Amino acid sequence: MSIMNEIESRRARRGLSTESVDERAVAGLVYAATLAPSCFNSQPWRIVAVKNEAAGAQAEAMRAALTLGNAWAQRAAWFLVLCTAAHLDGRLEEGRDYAYFDLGQAAMALQIQAQHEGLIAHPMAGFSPSKVRAALSIPKEIVPLVVVAVGKPGPTDALSDKQKADEDSPRTRKPMEEVVYQGNFGTPFSTLP
């Protein structure tokens, strides 16, 4: 059984429905994230799930923390705040702090599970970390690195013209020979799909 379909079809879509997403479905996404591998099995991820209800103080603060370019995420059913800190994971020579890599693995597992469930899970860097930290009581030594907007697919009317165009544009990737090497840096891998 291959999961290549989920990997190939995964996109960071923005067209969200205002329809709710069941808490059990979100539990499945965060469970997938916690199954990601990590250096020394440190499991350095910390995830704060915020249901985006109009009257919720945390939800209101999360919406206020988004940048203007991420205004579309106001429709998300949930905000998943993925956090870590260097001291939570392997700290290897030459400044290689594995916590951030391992959090990325958890984020990808979460996104693949969302894709499998027919949900959108869009990771965002466009938010105010200080506002998120204050709203969710995140300790100062923990970094709120990414906010993932989770929801069901929906209309694109809340998107800018550029975002609407991006939503249905062909998926583009750099040619593999530019990013995958064999033997030496810069020598293209000999067998590419």
Side-chain angles (χ1 to χ4, degrees), residues 79-151:
F79 297 112
L80 303 179
V81 182
L82 280 61
C83 309
T84 195
H87 72 275
L88 296 176
D89 206 348
R91 302 195 80 187
L92 307 175
E93 69 278 352
E94 297 183 37
R96 293 184 298 145
D97 291 327
Y98 260 67
Y100 305 101
F101 172 75
D102 288 343
L103 184 65
Q105 293 192 100
M108 188 62 179
L110 183 155
Q111 290 174 79
I112 295 300
Q113 182 61 27
Q115 185 67 30
H116 180 75
E117 296 290 333
L119 297 170
I120 291 172
H122 186 123
M124 301 178 290
F127 65 94
S128 166
S130 60
K131 288 180 181 178
V132 168
R133 178 178 278 117
L136 306 181
S137 302
I138 297 171
K140 65 180 178 179
E141 69 274 9
I142 303 296
V143 179
L145 196 63
V146 65
V147 174
V148 180
V150 175

Side-chain angles (χ1 to χ4, degrees), residues 23-177:
E23 191 170 316
R24 288 183 304 264
V26 174
L29 303 185
V30 296
Y31 177 63
T34 67
L35 294 177
S38 62
C39 184
F40 305 124
N41 196 27
S42 298
Q43 303 170 44
W45 39 78
R46 304 297 183 264
I47 302 169
V48 183
V50 178
K51 189 172 187 176
N52 191 14
E53 296 176 332
Q58 283 93 359
E60 288 178 21
M62 289 299 301
R63 291 190 298 269
L66 298 174
T67 61
L68 289 177
N70 285 330
W72 58 268
Q74 306 265 342
R75 291 184 170 188
W78 290 81
F79 297 112
L80 303 179
V81 182
L82 280 61
C83 309
T84 195
H87 72 275
L88 296 176
D89 206 348
R91 302 195 80 187
L92 307 175
E93 69 278 352
E94 297 183 37
R96 293 184 298 145
D97 291 327
Y98 260 67
Y100 305 101
F101 172 75
D102 288 343
L103 184 65
Q105 293 192 100
M108 188 62 179
L110 183 155
Q111 290 174 79
I112 295 300
Q113 182 61 27
Q115 185 67 30
H116 180 75
E117 296 290 333
L119 297 170
I120 291 172
H122 186 123
M124 301 178 290
F127 65 94
S128 166
S130 60
K131 288 180 181 178
V132 168
R133 178 178 278 117
L136 306 181
S137 302
I138 297 171
K140 65 180 178 179
E141 69 274 9
I142 303 296
V143 179
L145 196 63
V146 65
V147 174
V148 180
V150 175
K152 294 181 180 178
T156 59
D157 59 326
L159 307 183
S160 70
D161 289 341
K162 181 187 180 324
Q163 290 170 336
K164 285 178 186 177
D166 289 347
E167 198 78 354
D168 293 317
S169 66
R171 185 177 189 181
T172 59
R173 287 289 183 257
K174 292 180 180 182
M176 287 187 66
E177 58 271 7

